[in-house]
Amino acid sequence: MLQKNLSLTNDTDSSFGFTIVRRHPLDEIDHKSNVTTTWYEYFCPNDRIASFEIDNIELGLLNRRFDYGTIVKLYSYQLPTGSKGDISTDLYRDLNQYLYHLPIPITVYERREHYKVRDVNKVIVGNRTRIITNAKDNVERNIRFELNSSLGNFSIPIDVIIFNSNVDHREFIKNKSIIYTQNGQVHGFEGQSFISQDLGFPLIKKHTLIHIDCTGIPTEIRQDLFMSNRTHLREGPKTERLRSEIVSLLKSSSELRKLNNDRKNSLLRESKTDKDLLETFLSNLPVDKDVVNLLKKNGSLDFLKLNGNKINGNQKAKKTVQKKLNRFPSIFKLNLKEQKNGKIYKTIPLNSSGKITIETDVEDDYLFRPVEKGQFEIQILQKKKKTNTPVNPVLNLFPNDVTDILTVNKEGPTDGTIKLLIKPNEQAQVGDEVEIKAKLSSPGQDFQCIFNVKVDEKISKPKAKEKEATETFPNLPTPKKAYKKPLEESDIPWEDDNLNWDGHDIVKVIRSEEQNEMIVDGIIINMDSFVLLNFISKNNIKTEKEINFIKDKYFLSIYLHSLFLFSIMQKMQKDDKNLSHIEMEDFISNLIKPYANFLLYENYQMEKHAFIE
């Protein structure tokens, strides 16, 4: 139902228009006409919007009458599981997540009779507005990317929002870690596995929201990406290519990798006591060839680092100078050296990619904030194609144009740096040269820089060195202990924002990627778990010696079983692509919960007679 504000109609129209939308049921005539599917239709007598004259109307809301506005009342609908609470809880979050960027707010009223709380109202503004409004309290980093897709001559803005670790993922993300929107509405989404499995950033998977704005994609391409129901992506070559380009761009981000590693390093500060316990146990293993092979790099645990970088809590962190960032830029400096001929070149191998950085001093949200935002443009000034016949330079009048030679994507500004990610296309040849202008707008003065990109010879992959046979153990994942209240400085508290444990949790596997290889960096074990404490209590274990023995065996058993179970799952995923969606870390954590009690009793029954009096 709708009535316009009279100030917009020159006081000439005070009518309320209304309609009713329904799902058309199939009747006998439809069946005779071979109609097999229902459709939605709206009430519109004589092809005109139904209306009636009235000055104001009583809607039963807010204890007042309404002079103008729009109201939509839902009579028949089905909410998904987990969204059936009153409007102030899960449904409020869901609506904000689906209506990511609203042009105007929507007020939602709870009028369902079976709810004890009636007449509650909430204002839906969309997650984008909620995130920007409370950014200081909730957001650790917001990084803007610009993807120039090979699907056509258009660019796609990508926002990656990393929330603080103490922010509940249900508030802004829930099961929608990556969202594809059109005109602010979510038309498709994917879960956490995209961030942990595809991008290789498992430590930030629960706190990262990736927004892909597809509004600028041409209709003929967009219709091949989205289903007509506006809820899912289509399966097909265009969707696969777009997804692959998104993965390639985000996976190469040094900033995202740093954020993931920072959270990993905050958990894995090495404890000498824990490491000594593990090494003592391994050194006492029988020297059996099969056992040694299991723990070697060429054994089944191929995700172990043979020579990894150790994380030491005592190491001094590198001092980083915090740049002062301004609301508007005053610096725009290209980090490329001028050549002898006076030109500024960036040479990129034909089969590789290159990165150009531009130093600035503007705040991170400059290009996407709601007000006083700037613009960044990449313009191809001219290109010299390497051919047998001379080619005149071609002036490109359209910014962000992707030539047939190069693809230029953008990241930032982030901490005062804008990165241009440049890659030769399939049509590029050695010797091709492109002149590029980068431009950043600013009130009163625009900044720009000009440089050339030249395509060079292919670089050959380094030859893999043959591994020498060895009987030494690889660098095993860092063992860590977690407690409700830590005993030592190196221990992890349950309440750590990157952990958020309670007594039901047992183990957490920390993994990362190195050169596209999955690496297990550490294993955290809950030493105050209910399973362990209940076992000690039920078996009346009281002496300090026995308690320490049980805890040490529990620690080692959980560590080694988690390690080998991870290995088994990794091999299964490689052999069966249908298992690729499984979150490995979550699977191991959930599997060990019922398994831990069995390990404790097995170890105790086998070892209880071995105590030295």
Side-chain angles (χ1 to χ4, degrees):
M1 187 176 294
L2 170 69
Q3 180 172 359
K4 293 180 180 179
N5 188 332
L6 292 180
S7 63
L8 301 176
T9 62
N10 298 320
D11 296 329
T12 60
D13 187 1
S14 61
S15 62
F16 266 95
F18 70 94
T19 189
I20 300 173
V21 180
R22 71 167 186 174
R23 186 179 182 182
H24 181 90
L26 296 179
D27 53 25
E28 187 176 345
I29 297 176
D30 293 325
H31 288 298
K32 288 181 178 179
S33 303
N34 294 323
V35 177
T36 57
T37 59
T38 60
W39 66 89
Y40 287 89
E41 58 188 2
Y42 62 94
F43 177 65
C44 189
N46 299 320
D47 294 329
R48 295 179 61 86
I49 297 174
S51 63
F52 55 91
E53 294 288 331
I54 193 170
D55 293 330
N56 52 57
I57 191 169
E58 171 61 53
L59 299 174
L61 302 172
L62 296 181
N63 297 317
R64 69 177 180 86
R65 300 178 72 85
F66 288 80
D67 298 322
Y68 56 85
T70 302
I71 179 170
V72 177
K73 188 162 185 177
L74 302 179
Y75 292 94
S76 178
Y77 54 88
Q78 180 65 47
L79 292 174
T81 303
S83 302
K84 297 181 179 180
D86 69 73
I87 192 63
S88 63
T89 55
D90 290 331
L91 187 54
Y92 166 76
R93 297 190 188 104
D94 286 348
L95 290 173
N96 275 295
Q97 289 167 13
Y98 276 107
L99 304 174
Y100 181 76
H101 185 197
L102 280 172
I104 56 174
I106 299 173
T107 303
V108 185
Y109 297 87
E110 180 60 79
R111 300 289 292 165
R112 290 172 288 181
E113 294 182 356
H114 58 281
Y115 277 93
K116 294 180 180 179
V117 180
R118 292 284 307 279
D119 297 323
V120 174
N121 69 86
K122 294 284 283 187
V123 178
I124 309 298
V125 295
N127 259 359
R128 181 177 182 270
T129 301
R130 294 177 68 219
I131 291 169
I132 292 174
T133 304
N134 300 303
K136 290 185 178 179
D137 297 327
N138 296 327
V139 178
E140 178 178 348
R141 184 59 55 84
N142 193 334
I143 306 174
R144 165 60 68 97
F145 295 83
E146 200 81 25
L147 172 67
N148 282 297
S149 176
S150 61
L151 291 173
N153 185 19
F154 58 88
S155 62
I156 303 173
I158 301 175
D159 289 320
V160 180
I161 303 106
I162 296 93
F163 295 95
N164 295 325
S165 349
N166 59 353
V167 176
D168 189 342
H169 77 280
R170 293 173 299 178
E171 192 64 38
F172 297 99
I173 304 172
K174 205 172 181 179
N175 62 335
K176 293 178 281 294
S177 294
I178 173 171
I179 56 174
Y180 300 83
T181 68
Q182 181 182 342
N183 295 322
Q185 180 183 346
V186 174
H187 282 220
F189 62 87
E190 297 185 56
Q192 293 179 12
S193 62
F194 179 87
I195 298 170
S196 60
Q197 304 283 81
D198 294 87
L199 300 184
F201 303 137
L203 270 297
I204 58 173
K205 68 178 182 180
K206 289 187 177 180
H207 301 102
T208 299
L209 174 64
I210 301 172
H211 171 222
I212 314 294
D213 188 352
C214 301
T215 306
I217 299 178
T219 304
E220 64 272 14
I221 296 176
R222 193 172 58 237
Q223 66 187 6
D224 292 333
L225 298 176
F226 298 115
M227 302 283 285
S228 57
N229 59 14
R230 302 186 180 184
T231 59
H232 294 88
L233 293 173
R234 289 184 185 274
E235 293 184 4
K238 290 184 180 178
T239 303
E240 291 177 5
R241 185 188 300 183
L242 176 61
R243 194 178 184 279
S244 176
E245 291 174 344
I246 294 170
V247 170
S248 178
L249 176 61
L250 300 185
K251 196 171 185 177
S252 65
S253 171
S254 56
E255 186 62 29
L256 291 178
R257 189 166 299 280
K258 179 180 181 299
L259 288 166
N260 184 78
N261 288 341
D262 285 347
R263 296 197 180 186
K264 177 184 71 176
N265 293 344
S266 69
L267 290 172
L268 300 183
R269 291 186 177 88
E270 212 168 76
S271 169
K272 188 176 187 305
T273 305
D274 298 340
K275 187 178 179 183
D276 288 346
L277 174 64
L278 184 63
E279 289 181 350
T280 299
F281 172 78
L282 292 176
S283 65
N284 290 330
L285 279 175
V287 184
D288 182 274
K289 184 177 180 181
D290 292 334
V291 175
V292 173
N293 284 336
L294 280 174
L295 294 172
K296 283 168 51 180
K297 182 70 176 178
N298 60 351
S300 62
L301 300 186
D302 56 356
F303 51 77
L304 297 180
K305 287 190 280 189
L306 188 59
N307 292 301
N309 294 325
K310 297 180 180 179
I311 300 168
N312 193 330
N314 297 323
Q315 290 177 347
K316 293 183 179 179
K318 293 182 180 179
K319 293 183 179 180
T320 56
V321 180
Q322 188 69 32
K323 294 180 181 178
K324 182 183 177 182
L325 302 178
N326 305 312
R327 185 157 184 81
F328 300 103
S330 63
I331 299 172
F332 195 68
K333 181 183 177 183
L334 182 67
N335 289 333
L336 278 179
K337 291 182 180 180
E338 185 175 312
Q339 303 297 317
K340 292 181 180 180
N341 59 4
K343 288 188 176 182
I344 299 175
Y345 275 99
K346 175 67 176 181
T347 302
I348 301 176
L350 185 61
N351 60 339
S352 184
S353 58
K355 184 181 296 182
I356 292 176
T357 60
I358 301 174
E359 182 184 347
T360 184
D361 60 350
V362 73
E363 294 173 347
D364 293 357
D365 65 349
Y366 182 52
L367 300 180
F368 57 86
R369 62 195 182 201
V371 295
E372 297 183 319
K373 67 178 180 180
Q375 288 186 330
F376 182 87
E377 295 178 354
I378 293 293
Q379 188 173 359
I380 309 300
L381 297 181
Q382 63 180 12
K383 56 184 178 181
K384 297 176 183 177
K385 185 76 174 171
K386 183 70 173 178
T387 61
N388 295 326
T389 57
V391 177
N392 294 326
V394 179
L395 180 65
N396 189 340
L397 302 178
F398 301 98
N400 297 323
D401 183 24
V402 179
T403 74
D404 57 352
I405 299 176
L406 300 175
T407 296
V408 183
N409 297 319
K410 179 186 70 67
E411 176 183 348
T414 305
D415 286 339
T417 300
I418 298 174
K419 297 176 183 177
L420 303 181
L421 313 170
I422 305 174
K423 185 177 182 179
N425 292 333
E426 294 178 358
Q427 295 85 358
Q429 298 179 34
V430 175
D432 288 347
E433 186 178 327
V434 178
E435 187 177 31
I436 297 175
K437 179 169 73 173
K439 180 181 177 182
L440 181 66
S441 66
S442 180
Q445 177 189 6
D446 289 344
F447 298 91
Q448 67 179 38
C449 59
I450 297 175
F451 58 93
N452 289 269
V453 174
K454 192 172 184 178
V455 180
D456 201 0
E457 296 280 354
K458 290 184 178 181
I459 55 173
S460 56
K461 295 181 180 180
K463 294 180 180 180
K465 295 181 179 179
E466 294 184 4
K467 298 177 182 179
E468 297 180 0
T470 178
E471 295 297 319
T472 60
F473 291 122
N475 188 6
L476 292 170
T478 301
K480 290 293 296 182
K481 293 179 179 178
Y483 294 88
K484 185 176 182 179
K485 293 182 178 179
L487 304 176
E488 299 179 7
E489 187 177 351
S490 61
D491 295 331
I492 306 173
W494 282 1
E495 61 187 17
D496 188 291
D497 289 336
N498 295 312
L499 206 57
N500 290 318
W501 266 2
D502 59 26
H504 297 286
D505 294 290
I506 303 293
V507 67
K508 181 180 181 69
V509 177
I510 307 295
R511 70 171 180 87
S512 62
E513 283 192 14
E514 291 184 5
Q515 299 176 348
N516 295 323
E517 286 287 334
M518 186 184 297
I519 300 296
V520 176
D521 295 286
I523 298 176
I524 305 171
I525 296 153
N526 189 355
M527 299 305 294
D528 277 338
S529 66
F530 294 153
V531 166
L532 177 60
L533 300 182
N534 289 340
F535 178 85
I536 293 174
S537 174
K538 285 182 179 180
N539 287 278
N540 201 28
I541 301 171
K542 297 180 179 179
T543 68
E544 182 179 357
K545 185 176 182 180
E546 282 186 316
I547 291 174
N548 289 336
F549 175 81
I550 293 297
K551 288 185 174 181
D552 287 347
K553 291 291 290 183
Y554 162 84
F555 177 75
L556 291 168
S557 293
I558 299 297
Y559 179 94
L560 292 174
H561 279 76
S562 299
L563 195 61
F564 280 96
L565 285 171
F566 196 96
S567 170
I568 294 168
M569 273 305 301
Q570 185 194 37
K571 187 177 186 305
M572 289 176 65
Q573 283 189 329
K574 288 180 178 179
D575 295 340
D576 187 351
K577 297 301 181 184
N578 293 324
L579 301 176
S580 60
H581 67 282
I582 294 177
E583 290 287 326
M584 197 95 77
E585 306 94 304
D586 295 342
F587 178 82
I588 298 300
S589 296
N590 292 329
L591 182 63
I592 289 291
K593 285 179 181 179
Y595 190 43
N597 201 38
F598 166 76
L599 290 177
L600 278 166
Y601 276 95
E602 180 193 41
N603 289 332
Y604 185 61
Q605 292 299 326
M606 294 178 64
E607 303 282 353
K608 67 179 180 178
H609 301 296
F611 291 116
I612 301 174
E613 299 295 339

